[in-house]
Amino acid sequence: MTRSWWGWGHVEDAVRGAELEALLARVRALMPGELTAHEPPDISSLALPTPRVTPPASLAGLCSVDPGDRAAHAHGKAFRDVVRNLHGELRHVPDLVARPAEERDVIDLLDWCTREGIAMVPYGGGSSVVGGVEPRCDGHPAAVTVDLGHMNRVLEIDRTSRAARIQAGALGPDLENQLRPHGLTLRHFPQSFEFSTLGGWLATRAGGHYATLYTHIDDLVESMRVVTGAGVSASLRLPGSGAGPSPDRLFLGSEGSLGVITEAWMRLQERPCHHARASVRFGDYTAAVAATRAIAQSGLNPANCRLLDAAEALINAGVSVAGGLLVLAFESADHPVRLDLQRAVELCRDHGGEPTADTAEEPGRGAAAAPRKASAGDIAAETWRSSFLRMPYQRDALARHSLIVETFETACTWDRFEALHHAVTEAARQAIGEVAGTGVVTCRFTHVYPDGPAPYFGVYAPGRWGSTVAQWDHIKDAVSEAIHTCGGTITHHHAVGRDHRPWYDRQRPDPFAAALTAAKTALDPAGVLNPGVLLPAP
Amino acid sequence: MTRSWWGWGHVEDAVRGAELEALLARVRALMPGELTAHEPPDISSLALPTPRVTPPASLAGLCSVDPGDRAAHAHGKAFRDVVRNLHGELRHVPDLVARPAEERDVIDLLDWCTREGIAMVPYGGGSSVVGGVEPRCDGHPAAVTVDLGHMNRVLEIDRTSRAARIQAGALGPDLENQLRPHGLTLRHFPQSFEFSTLGGWLATRAGGHYATLYTHIDDLVESMRVVTGAGVSASLRLPGSGAGPSPDRLFLGSEGSLGVITEAWMRLQERPCHHARASVRFGDYTAAVAATRAIAQSGLNPANCRLLDAAEALINAGVSVAGGLLVLAFESADHPVRLDLQRAVELCRDHGGEPTADTAEEPGRGAAAAPRKASAGDIAAETWRSSFLRMPYQRDALARHSLIVETFETACTWDRFEALHHAVTEAARQAIGEVAGTGVVTCRFTHVYPDGPAPYFGVYAPGRWGSTVAQWDHIKDAVSEAIHTCGGTITHHHAVGRDHRPWYDRQRPDPFAAALTAAKTALDPAGVLNPGVLLPAP
């Protein structure tokens, strides 16, 4: 399999042939207009600038100046990244791509960058959608991207405490494959699972599999090692502590600006063998939200509790509902969960929900249909799940056809959700109207908390080839303003990077920014670590 | 009711009469020796030094120089605090006790202290057991204790999101009484519940009611307001976020060294109406630990899962067991929890546990005995619970009789627990032997995590009047060394304060300490906020 330098995932998995035709047909039905395919440029045509630095001999063996390597590390994987790649617009290309084999190499690379004032951009799987890995290194003479991909091993497993010491560069499948023989799993499955790393998840506070409780990777961390300009920060392996502010919580979400995470002890799960799933249809969105809130506040803690609005259900699950479709799942490695599902479905019924199917699996008995037979709703949930992993590939295919296809997300308290949802949707529609005519705005909940949901929006609009980045940026500005005004966070799990900075700067308390800036100066005195991410470049 | 200036809680609740006789009889049975009562000194005999500062006229109305007030704010409520009070040894007395009525007053007080270089000690309920409120203000000309007790209101309730905005000075009963009419509860019940405040819980990352999941107050925080030297830090009310490192997590555990917490939006619970409880006896401690681990890793998430070792069960629950007694409880406001309890008990049986009783309550039906009738074990659990709240009063009574009675706590991963438990118990016994002859060391788990327990140790030993603080300090040094050597945290929920600093300084990563020091300098440029707590006084 070959990684795409310009788009998502593997070249071999790109949307093509019949899948592409069907996708384009669906788009034409929603947004009439001509759809012309545009090809990505050949890497040889990019004319990348000559590297501005030469590594010292001791580090030369880790460093690549291969144009394909440098081009592939120039951008993350946001819509605007993919489109700029398609246009061959690579303004900020790392001068070198370094691949450390061990922590010592990371220390040496940081020493060198600090000495020379070279921007150092930590890089995991490169799936950032917020400019988090793009070396826009204002003021620095050069940039080195440090790709942790060769540090991808599970180093130690503690079966008793159910934890493992894992290197930061392990991609999702890398680490799950190494944990599987031990019957254990990290169970952190972001949409980017195949193409993002443990270190990236930690640095960006990634959101994962669990819709409730362990929503962010944060809660799965026992301890971390981080290479900083003030030495290696190694926290103690602990199940919980109250000794001062948590050291790990300072580095979680630091996005490479305070140090380079090299490994972590992570809390693991047994592989679940009890499953129960259902889909519930609602005729009214407000009622669907109320039901989801009731479940979020019930203490039932479903593994999955994703409310799709009518547009999301139609486009990505192929289900036509007037109000919304709630996809519910419970799982356990220890005990049956069917009664939990029944109670959750009962809460849905209290709000007018109609369960379309439910299934339960117990160990050794395989899938057993519940009294009602598996129906369209259950298939819809499966459709949505497989669609979920295809979405980034479809996004790339549509981007090549001048479509604007992007997502954004937030979280807010329940009391603010209705106003936020209305304002954000309206802002998106109006901005789409201004730059692209008509489009579609969808919403689903990726995670829910007792005190509020994490809504995730999708935008689909017709664009003009050559202008789609500017068109999207206009829409993104409008929705970000609406989110900020309505009390939502600028990001629940996509991170801040460079692109969310204008709103993050208004969201975070000023004294906290002063403290974070001071911490950065202590840990990165030369200001070389991912400059411009989280904090203004010095 | 009158607050004791020298000891725990209310004067009227002190252990006396028949309760005292019974307590002393139990002690005599375990540790023969003479027990003479010593009376606390009269406040007028303390001869406190004259206050070294005069507040500006604008703040004078908030400030008290009353000797009783100053004496009562000189120490926290550790054993060593109580004994020093009993001896009239008040070396560090605040010059003034200020009681702000609103956030503006806190800002003005901090401005004044910053201008004058006066140490400012934030004070909630004063229940610190780590020297966290004692103004040992090396280098500062004077100290002002800022007692938030007048800021004790619930300011706003959001029923939809189940959250409330609460002032930092609210004691446990204050805030629960204000939430009760709304059917809501914070459900944070540390042993100090009656005499500690929300602000204190947040500043020290207090451990509460829940043995699993929401163990620390940290997870119940939506947003906080903190007065710092760089302005008021006000975080956004959010159910979850991934926008940079969490601002709240920097202030959680900052113990007044970075700012003064004035209010917080807290996540609340419905009042539970479904309950199920059981006590399980084990003949073998290792098996009891294994059973507790199985439950902690089951995903059942009991509200209570406290394993008492044989000594703890005997002394505080009146139950004689060879291995241990596991007190289990489940609760919910939404659904029956009896099956959860049954599964937990089954896991205990797998490890040789014998359930002695279980009970379940459902809404509208009151307590209904389960098939087996409520027996000694159930009464034992109740005994332990009521004993729990009397413990600090008993500690005071025993301290007056020259007994050494103190606790310490930690957390570690399961793989390390057996070695840690052995080393800590041995270190305690040896140190007791060196300074006090024979004594008793007990252990219970206050909280359990999938990856490890939080063991809480009790020490009971005969002391010599006038030497018990030095005797205890010797024991405490020994057990702290053992905890540190075995990979435990120096504190799971008692905080660092000034007393845990030697071990905290070795536990926290140096680069993190550099970052924290830099953050403190940014937020407290004059270094007046609780100097010597968490970080060395400048």
Side-chain angles (χ1 to χ4, degrees):
Chain A
M1 302 286 266
T2 312
R3 284 291 294 275
S4 168
W5 77 264
W6 65 270
W8 188 255
H10 293 125
V11 171
E12 297 79 358
D13 287 332
V15 175
R16 60 167 63 83
E19 187 188 5
L20 179 61
E21 286 316 311
L23 176 64
L24 295 177
R26 291 213 307 275
V27 169
R28 279 193 201 97
L30 289 168
M31 292 173 291
E34 193 166 342
L35 295 173
T36 309
H38 298 271
E39 294 301 316
D42 195 83
I43 286 175
S44 62
S45 74
L46 295 176
L48 302 185
T50 309
R52 294 162 292 184
V53 283
T54 310
S58 59
L59 296 172
L62 308 174
C63 297
S64 158
V65 291
D66 174 73
D69 235 359
R70 292 173 64 208
H73 287 79
H75 290 143
K77 290 289 184 273
F79 170 76
R80 63 197 311 285
D81 296 327
V82 168
V83 174
R84 286 184 300 161
N85 287 343
L86 284 171
H87 286 91
E89 275 177 25
L90 276 69
R91 251 184 255 172
H92 308 284
V93 182
D95 294 274
L96 303 172
V97 177
R99 289 192 172 79
E102 51 179 327
E103 187 178 271
R104 184 69 247 172
D105 296 337
V106 178
I107 296 170
D108 293 342
L109 284 162
L110 180 55
D111 282 351
W112 172 52
C113 289
T114 298
R115 232 168 27 239
E116 304 289 332
I118 301 166
M120 174 160 157
V121 180
Y123 187 103
S127 66
S128 172
V129 292
V130 293
V133 294
E134 182 178 348
R136 290 176 226 164
C137 46
D138 328 68
H140 291 274
V144 172
T145 290
V146 176
D147 182 328
L148 280 287
H150 288 181
M151 293 171 65
N152 62 355
R153 283 179 307 137
V154 172
L155 299 171
E156 213 174 327
I157 290 183
D158 170 2
R159 194 66 193 74
T160 307
S161 314
R162 287 197 335 201
R165 185 158 71 94
I166 308 173
Q167 288 185 306
L171 296 167
D174 284 346
L175 65 88
E176 288 294 341
N177 289 341
Q178 292 172 78
L179 296 174
R180 192 170 296 111
H182 304 271
L184 294 168
T185 165
L186 179 61
R187 228 151 172 65
H188 181 76
F189 303 127
Q191 192 174 29
S192 61
F193 174 72
E194 285 180 90
F195 306 107
S196 56
T197 62
L198 175 63
W201 301 338
L202 297 170
T204 59
R205 303 178 66 190
H209 167 71
Y210 292 107
T212 64
L213 285 184
Y214 305 117
T215 53
H216 286 102
I217 193 85
D218 310 26
D219 294 318
L220 304 177
V221 178
E222 254 182 14
S223 72
M224 286 162 71
R225 285 183 70 91
V226 188
V227 170
T228 79
V232 177
S233 181
S235 58
L236 200 55
R237 249 193 93 190
L238 291 172
S241 183
S246 163
D248 295 335
R249 297 276 180 173
L250 179 67
F251 292 108
L252 286 162
S254 63
E255 303 187 21
S257 69
L258 302 181
V260 183
I261 299 162
T262 55
E263 61 178 59
W265 272 97
M266 299 299 299
R267 299 178 182 134
L268 305 175
Q269 315 288 321
E270 314 271 333
R271 305 203 151 263
C273 49
H274 303 265
H275 297 272
R277 301 187 185 94
S279 299
V280 184
R281 302 165 73 108
F282 289 87
D284 175 68
Y285 186 61
T286 305
V289 170
T292 308
R293 176 164 71 86
I295 293 169
Q297 296 181 340
S298 68
L300 292 165
N301 297 323
N304 201 346
C305 183
R306 311 208 178 194
L307 176 61
L308 319 184
D309 75 359
E312 180 77 26
L314 184 66
I315 293 176
N316 285 313
V319 174
S320 176
V321 284
L325 181 74
L326 180 60
V327 179
L328 284 169
F330 290 82
E331 61 180 42
S332 171
D334 179 73
H335 47 268
V337 288
R338 192 185 287 186
L339 290 178
D340 294 326
L341 179 69
Q342 280 177 15
R343 174 60 188 148
V345 167
E346 196 176 311
L347 288 168
C348 290
R349 282 215 183 85
D350 291 347
H351 291 87
E354 273 177 56
T356 56
D358 57 58
T359 59
E361 277 171 55
E362 303 299 337
R365 287 198 279 148
R372 249 168 294 99
K373 70 179 199 284
S375 71
D378 196 45
I379 295 160
E382 286 302 332
T383 304
W384 190 84
R385 269 190 288 276
S386 60
S387 163
F388 179 65
L389 294 174
R390 287 303 283 162
M391 284 177 196
Y393 289 107
Q394 293 173 348
R395 187 267 320 256
D396 287 1
L398 296 175
R400 288 178 54 192
H401 289 81
S402 306
L403 269 290
I404 301 164
V405 184
E406 185 54 299
T407 62
F408 58 94
E409 39 83 67
T410 183
C412 65
T413 47
W414 288 111
D415 63 315
R416 291 171 174 170
F417 172 69
E418 192 179 333
L420 180 140
H421 180 254
H422 178 77
V424 168
T425 307
E426 283 308 301
R429 289 199 181 122
Q430 190 182 328
I432 291 168
E434 284 157 11
V435 294
T438 55
V440 178
V441 183
T442 69
C443 181
R444 63 182 191 259
F445 292 168
T446 55
H447 305 81
V448 292
Y449 300 88
D451 52 337
Y456 192 99
F457 295 87
V459 169
Y460 304 81
R464 289 179 309 280
W465 188 246
S467 300
T468 54
V469 167
Q471 288 172 299
W472 164 249
D473 284 351
H474 179 81
I475 300 164
K476 173 76 176 176
D477 281 0
V479 296
S480 297
E481 280 300 317
I483 284 171
H484 183 78
T485 304
C486 295
T489 175
I490 194 59
T491 176
H492 173 265
H493 61 270
H494 279 174
V496 174
R498 294 171 177 86
D499 296 342
H500 280 149
R501 277 275 317 288
W503 297 278
Y504 173 69
D505 288 356
R506 288 151 67 191
Q507 171 179 332
R508 89 278 178 284
D510 286 341
F512 177 72
L516 193 61
T517 302
K520 179 171 171 72
T521 304
L523 300 179
D524 176 25
V528 295
L529 281 164
N530 225 359
V533 160
L534 271 189
L535 296 165
Chain B
M1 302 286 267
T2 312
R3 284 291 295 274
S4 168
W5 78 264
W6 65 270
W8 189 255
H10 293 126
V11 171
E12 296 79 358
D13 287 332
V15 176
R16 59 167 64 82
E19 187 187 4
L20 179 62
E21 286 316 311
L23 177 64
L24 295 177
R26 292 213 307 274
V27 169
R28 280 194 199 95
L30 288 167
M31 291 172 291
E34 192 166 344
L35 295 172
T36 308
H38 298 270
E39 293 302 316
D42 194 81
I43 287 176
S44 60
S45 73
L46 295 176
L48 303 185
T50 310
R52 295 163 290 185
V53 282
T54 311
S58 59
L59 297 173
L62 308 174
C63 296
S64 158
V65 292
D66 174 74
D69 235 359
R70 292 174 64 209
H73 287 79
H75 291 144
K77 292 288 184 275
F79 170 76
R80 63 197 312 284
D81 296 326
V82 168
V83 175
R84 288 184 298 162
N85 287 342
L86 285 171
H87 286 91
E89 275 177 26
L90 278 68
R91 249 184 257 172
H92 306 284
V93 182
D95 294 275
L96 302 173
V97 177
R99 289 189 171 81
E102 51 179 328
E103 187 178 272
R104 183 71 246 173
D105 296 336
V106 179
I107 296 169
D108 292 343
L109 285 161
L110 180 56
D111 282 352
W112 172 52
C113 289
T114 299
R115 232 165 30 237
E116 305 289 331
I118 301 166
M120 174 160 157
V121 180
Y123 188 102
S127 66
S128 172
V129 291
V130 293
V133 296
E134 182 178 348
R136 290 175 227 165
C137 45
D138 329 70
H140 291 273
V144 172
T145 290
V146 176
D147 181 328
L148 280 286
H150 288 182
M151 292 171 64
N152 63 355
R153 284 179 306 137
V154 172
L155 299 171
E156 213 173 328
I157 290 183
D158 169 2
R159 194 68 192 74
T160 307
S161 315
R162 287 197 334 202
R165 185 157 72 93
I166 307 174
Q167 288 185 305
L171 296 166
D174 285 346
L175 65 87
E176 287 294 341
N177 289 340
Q178 292 172 77
L179 296 174
R180 191 170 297 110
H182 304 272
L184 294 168
T185 167
L186 179 61
R187 230 154 169 64
H188 181 77
F189 302 128
Q191 193 174 29
S192 61
F193 174 73
E194 284 180 90
F195 306 107
S196 57
T197 61
L198 174 64
W201 301 339
L202 297 170
T204 60
R205 301 179 66 190
H209 167 71
Y210 293 107
T212 64
L213 284 184
Y214 304 116
T215 54
H216 286 103
I217 193 84
D218 310 26
D219 293 318
L220 305 177
V221 178
E222 253 182 14
S223 72
M224 286 163 71
R225 285 183 70 91
V226 189
V227 171
T228 80
V232 178
S233 182
S235 59
L236 200 56
R237 249 194 93 191
L238 291 173
S241 183
S246 162
D248 295 335
R249 298 276 180 173
L250 179 67
F251 292 107
L252 286 162
S254 63
E255 302 187 23
S257 69
L258 301 181
V260 183
I261 299 163
T262 55
E263 61 178 61
W265 272 97
M266 298 300 297
R267 298 175 183 138
L268 305 175
Q269 315 288 319
E270 315 270 334
R271 304 200 151 267
C273 49
H274 304 264
H275 298 272
R277 302 187 185 93
S279 299
V280 184
R281 303 165 72 108
F282 290 87
D284 176 68
Y285 186 61
T286 305
V289 171
T292 308
R293 176 165 72 86
I295 293 168
Q297 296 182 339
S298 68
L300 291 166
N301 297 323
N304 202 346
C305 183
R306 310 206 181 198
L307 176 62
L308 319 184
D309 74 0
E312 178 78 27
L314 185 66
I315 293 177
N316 286 313
V319 174
S320 176
V321 285
L325 182 72
L326 180 60
V327 179
L328 284 169
F330 289 82
E331 60 180 42
S332 170
D334 179 74
H335 48 267
V337 288
R338 191 186 287 185
L339 291 178
D340 294 326
L341 179 69
Q342 279 178 15
R343 174 61 188 149
V345 168
E346 195 176 312
L347 288 168
C348 289
R349 282 216 184 84
D350 291 347
H351 292 86
E354 273 178 55
T356 56
D358 58 56
T359 59
E361 277 170 56
E362 302 297 338
R365 287 196 281 148
R372 248 167 295 98
K373 70 178 197 280
S375 71
D378 196 44
I379 295 159
E382 287 301 332
T383 305
W384 190 84
R385 268 189 288 276
S386 58
S387 162
F388 179 65
L389 294 175
R390 289 302 283 162
M391 284 176 194
Y393 288 108
Q394 294 173 348
R395 187 267 319 258
D396 287 1
L398 296 175
R400 288 179 54 192
H401 289 82
S402 306
L403 269 290
I404 300 164
V405 184
E406 185 53 298
T407 62
F408 58 94
E409 38 85 66
T410 183
C412 65
T413 46
W414 289 110
D415 63 315
R416 291 171 173 170
F417 172 69
E418 192 178 332
L420 179 140
H421 179 255
H422 179 76
V424 168
T425 307
E426 283 309 302
R429 288 200 180 120
Q430 189 181 328
I432 291 169
E434 285 156 10
V435 295
T438 54
V440 178
V441 183
T442 67
C443 181
R444 63 181 190 261
F445 292 168
T446 56
H447 305 82
V448 291
Y449 300 88
D451 52 337
Y456 191 99
F457 295 87
V459 169
Y460 305 80
R464 291 178 308 280
W465 188 246
S467 300
T468 53
V469 167
Q471 289 172 298
W472 165 249
D473 285 351
H474 180 81
I475 299 165
K476 173 75 177 177
D477 281 0
V479 297
S480 297
E481 280 300 315
I483 285 172
H484 183 77
T485 304
C486 295
T489 174
I490 193 59
T491 177
H492 173 264
H493 61 269
H494 279 174
V496 174
R498 293 171 177 86
D499 297 342
H500 280 148
R501 275 276 316 288
W503 298 276
Y504 173 68
D505 288 356
R506 288 151 67 190
Q507 171 178 333
R508 88 280 177 283
D510 286 340
F512 177 72
L516 194 60
T517 303
K520 179 170 171 71
T521 305
L523 299 179
D524 176 26
V528 296
L529 281 164
N530 225 0
V533 160
L534 272 188
L535 296 165

